[in-house]
């Protein structure tokens, strides 16, 4: 279980924001794409829909909305007559022609998909545990059977209460092996940038170890050994909760929790399963942290002697997408909250860490070759140590990203202002 996410707490580290002269030398990007921005909302309540998927029909280009429902979509200019398919769990998918979108201010509303009660009783499975086992057994039939080269956007944030302490972003190449293969996926770092302000961290520096691998291992259909291995399945109880729809398909929601007799920390959450085809389309789950000492042992790799650190929340999400009848990993996130308690202080500190990754494009990897070891990023990577500063406004070029939240966007703008001042003072 500990492999899904690891947490590193080390002694105080002073990090200066890098000036423009220290940043990577980026190549000039040509503006051969159209950019569209807007928000996805509930049609009746106007509330934002978080992590809605926007996919360009006839291509492998996609993105998702952020936690405020906002999206940013970049599409090559030679793709002008296609549609954007907007989908969200429990809502009717909407097809929007690109010709109807403007560069910004687009508001896309989705209608709730109502499930008729009569549908629920047709060929309804009776045993939730058996359905989960059958879904896992059908993995090789329903998920990508070919090697793929995926482009993904990765973002990692650390906050002390509500203040951004560390922010890292990257475009990575994922060499995804077939779902029926025992070979691990490989990750190659393409572009990255970061900001770290340790002045807000009291006397400790928090770092997330593993980078994109933290999110990649949440792909439980590729890595079932981290949660639903044949041996660990007996540690859980499963039961039917409700039904919903996704892409106009009837989905059963199965809840699960570890048995009361199991003392080690396992997981609890929800699985969204296409009953007819035995496909896991989404999953939300969290670690049982009743025993905070055992939970802390899974994440805290190193800490000062006079500090106690324990998790108060560890949750995961994974979404899959469909292409030509086959499903593949599309998005995942890891959210962790920790308390840091110094023995000689009256008050403890609360830190939250979030990592998310979205597949924005992919192509078949016909040879199935993986990058050489020296070209891969290590599973022990700490992104905030590897990336450079926020200095180039055109850094991402035509690559799709997850639109930043307002708080993150404000932090980036503040960093860029500081860099400009540093550049002026050095002239």
């Amino acid at each position: 279980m500990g492999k899904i996410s690891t947490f590193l707490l080390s002694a105080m580290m002073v990090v200066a924001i890098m000036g423009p002269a220290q940043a990577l030398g980026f190549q000039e990007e040509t503006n051969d794409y159209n950019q569209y921005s807007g928000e996805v909302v509930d049609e009746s309540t106007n509330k934002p829909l978080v992590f809605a998927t926007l996919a360009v029909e006839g291509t492998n280009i996609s993105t998702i909305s952020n936690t405020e429902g906002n999206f940013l979509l970049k599409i090559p200019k030679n793709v002008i007559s296609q549609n954007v398919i907007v989908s969200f769990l429990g809502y009717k998918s909407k097809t929007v022609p690109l010709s109807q979108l403007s560069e910004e201010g687009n508001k896309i509303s989705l209608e709730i998909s109502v499930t008729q009660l009569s549908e629920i009783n047709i060929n309804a499975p009776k045993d939730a545990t058996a359905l989960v086992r059958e879904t896992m057994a059908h993995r090789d039939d329903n998920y990508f059977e070919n090697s793929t080269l995926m482009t993904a956007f990765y973002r990692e944030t650390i906050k002390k209460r509500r203040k951004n302490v560390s922010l890292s972003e990257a475009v990575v190449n994922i060499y995804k092996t077939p779902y029926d293969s025992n070979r691990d996926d490989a990750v190659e770092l393409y572009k990255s940038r970061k900001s770290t302000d340790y002045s807000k961290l009291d006397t400790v520096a928090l770092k997330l170890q593993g980078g994109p691998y933290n999110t990649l291992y949440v792909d439980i259909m590729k890595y079932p050994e981290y949660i639903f291995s044949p041996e660990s399945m007996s540690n859980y109880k499963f039961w039917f909760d409700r039904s919903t729809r996704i892409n106009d398909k009837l989905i059963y929601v199965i809840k699960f929790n570890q048995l009361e007799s199991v003392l080690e920390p396992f997981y609890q959450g929800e699985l969204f399963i296409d009953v007819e085809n035995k496909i896991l389309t989404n999953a939300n789950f969290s670690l049982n942290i009743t025993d905070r000492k055992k939970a802390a042992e899974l994440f805290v790799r190193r800490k000062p002697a006079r500090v106690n650190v324990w998790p108060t929340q560890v949750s995961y999400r994974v979404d899959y997408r469909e292409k030509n009848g086959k499903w593949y990993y599309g998005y995942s996130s890891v959210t962790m909250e920790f308390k840091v308690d110094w023995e000689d202080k009256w008050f403890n500190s609360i830190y939250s860490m979030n990592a998310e990754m979205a597949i924005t494009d992919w192509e078949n990897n016909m040879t199935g070759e993986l990058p050489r070891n020296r070209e891969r990023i290590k599973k022990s990577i700490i992104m905030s140590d590897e990336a450079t500063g926020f200095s180039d406004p055109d850094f991402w070029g035509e690559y799709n990203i997850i639109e930043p939240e307002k708080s993150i966007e404000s932090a980036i703008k503040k960093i860029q202002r500081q860099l400009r001042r540093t550049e002026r003072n050095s002239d």
Side-chain angles (χ1 to χ4, degrees):
M1 290 177 295
K3 282 189 176 181
I4 288 185
S5 279
T6 52
F7 176 73
L8 176 65
L9 183 67
S10 62
M12 176 62 184
M13 184 183 300
V14 179
V15 178
I17 296 176
M18 299 175 65
Q22 295 171 287
L24 286 174
F26 306 123
Q27 293 182 348
E28 191 76 22
E29 299 280 0
T30 57
N31 190 9
D32 290 332
Y33 60 90
N34 294 318
Q35 179 172 295
Y36 307 94
S37 63
E39 60 179 338
V40 183
V41 300
D42 180 296
E43 186 175 75
S44 58
T45 66
N46 209 38
K47 291 183 178 180
L49 296 182
V50 178
F51 306 139
T53 298
L54 297 94
V56 182
E57 194 175 34
T59 75
N60 299 324
I61 301 170
S62 60
T63 190
I64 66 165
S65 61
N66 66 8
T67 56
E68 296 163 340
N70 297 320
F71 70 87
L72 179 66
L73 182 62
K74 298 177 182 179
I75 302 173
K77 287 185 175 180
N78 59 359
V79 181
I80 56 176
S81 59
Q82 302 290 356
N83 300 318
V84 176
I85 309 298
V86 187
S87 58
F88 187 78
L89 187 66
Y91 286 73
K92 293 181 180 179
S93 299
K94 176 174 283 189
T95 300
V96 182
L98 281 173
S99 58
Q100 293 183 8
L101 294 178
S102 56
E103 291 187 359
E104 57 185 24
N106 299 285
K107 189 172 185 178
I108 301 174
S109 58
L110 300 184
E111 178 185 354
I112 291 178
S113 179
V114 179
T115 303
Q116 300 296 327
L117 291 178
S118 59
E119 291 184 89
I120 300 175
N121 297 320
I122 297 176
N123 300 320
K126 307 300 181 185
D127 187 334
T129 302
L131 178 59
V132 174
R133 289 183 180 274
E134 193 174 359
T135 299
M136 301 303 290
H138 277 74
R139 179 191 69 171
D140 298 354
D141 300 326
N142 292 324
Y143 294 81
F144 271 13
E145 56 192 11
N146 298 320
S147 297
T148 53
L149 175 57
M150 296 179 165
T151 302
F153 173 76
Y154 174 79
R155 176 182 288 139
E156 177 184 299
T157 59
I158 300 176
K159 293 183 179 181
K160 179 183 178 183
R161 297 194 184 275
R162 295 184 179 181
K163 294 182 179 179
N164 285 292
V165 172
S166 178
L167 168 63
S168 303
E169 295 180 333
V171 172
V172 297
N173 296 322
I174 302 175
Y175 291 78
K176 206 87 169 67
T177 59
Y179 276 79
D180 60 359
S181 169
N182 292 325
R183 300 174 72 189
D184 280 359
D185 303 327
V187 182
E188 189 177 43
L189 186 62
Y190 180 60
K191 289 186 176 183
S192 63
R193 61 183 183 181
K194 66 92 180 280
S195 161
T196 306
D197 185 359
Y198 287 111
S199 65
K200 299 175 182 176
L201 276 176
D202 298 326
T203 52
V204 295
L206 289 83
K207 297 181 181 181
L208 181 65
Q209 188 175 28
Y213 287 102
N214 288 309
T215 47
L216 192 58
Y217 287 146
V218 186
D219 180 358
I220 58 180
M221 294 307 295
K222 174 64 179 176
Y223 301 100
E225 63 269 25
Y226 294 146
I227 178 171
F228 290 142
S229 66
E231 297 77 20
S232 66
M233 286 284 285
S234 59
N235 294 314
Y236 294 101
K237 57 181 177 181
F238 300 87
W239 67 96
F240 293 109
D241 180 54
R242 64 189 189 278
S243 64
T244 184
R245 301 193 75 86
I246 183 171
N247 295 335
D248 300 322
K249 294 181 179 179
L250 184 63
I251 305 295
Y252 275 69
V253 182
I254 296 178
K255 287 196 171 183
F256 66 95
N257 203 345
Q258 69 183 78
L259 298 172
E260 294 179 1
S261 58
V262 177
L263 301 180
E264 294 297 318
F266 278 81
Y267 299 96
Q268 59 189 7
E270 297 179 325
L271 305 174
F272 298 79
I273 295 178
D274 176 347
V275 179
E276 182 180 354
N277 300 297
K278 309 299 184 295
I279 296 169
L280 179 71
T281 63
N282 309 74
N284 300 316
F285 55 101
S286 59
L287 181 69
N288 183 345
I289 53 177
T290 303
D291 188 329
R292 70 184 191 186
K293 181 179 179 181
K294 288 185 177 180
E297 290 173 353
L298 295 174
F299 298 98
V300 182
R301 300 293 298 273
R302 189 168 72 246
K303 67 180 182 65
R306 295 181 297 109
V307 178
N308 292 315
V309 183
W310 65 89
T312 58
Q313 176 192 356
V314 182
S315 58
Y316 307 89
R317 174 192 177 107
V318 60
D319 297 340
Y320 295 92
R321 299 171 188 163
E322 184 266 342
K323 179 78 172 182
N324 297 329
K326 295 288 185 178
W327 291 73
Y328 66 98
Y329 162 76
Y331 171 82
S332 63
S333 65
V334 182
T335 301
M336 296 178 282
E337 187 178 272
F338 289 85
K339 281 191 177 180
V340 178
D341 189 10
W342 286 85
E343 292 180 359
D344 56 353
K345 291 186 178 181
W346 284 99
F347 303 102
N348 54 37
S349 300
I350 298 176
Y351 299 91
S352 60
M353 312 179 76
N354 178 262
E356 60 180 336
M357 186 161 65
I359 303 302
T360 58
D361 203 353
W362 60 268
E363 61 184 25
N364 287 322
N365 181 6
M366 303 304 294
T367 64
E369 292 184 2
L370 301 178
R372 289 173 290 186
N373 288 334
R374 67 173 179 268
E375 296 171 343
R376 308 181 192 188
I377 61 174
K378 297 180 179 180
K379 296 178 182 178
S380 58
I381 188 175
I382 297 175
M383 283 297 300
S384 59
D385 288 349
E386 295 292 327
T388 60
F390 284 87
S391 60
D392 191 334
D394 298 320
F395 179 78
W396 302 115
E398 63 186 21
Y399 289 94
N400 277 293
I401 68 170
I402 303 171
E403 180 79 341
E405 302 167 4
K406 290 184 175 64
S407 60
I408 296 176
E409 193 172 25
S410 299
I412 294 173
K413 290 179 179 178
K414 181 180 178 182
I415 294 161
Q416 290 173 335
R417 287 197 298 270
Q418 291 173 331
L419 289 171
R420 285 195 291 270
R421 284 198 296 269
T422 300
E423 187 177 29
R424 286 196 298 268
N425 293 336
S426 62
D427 290 341

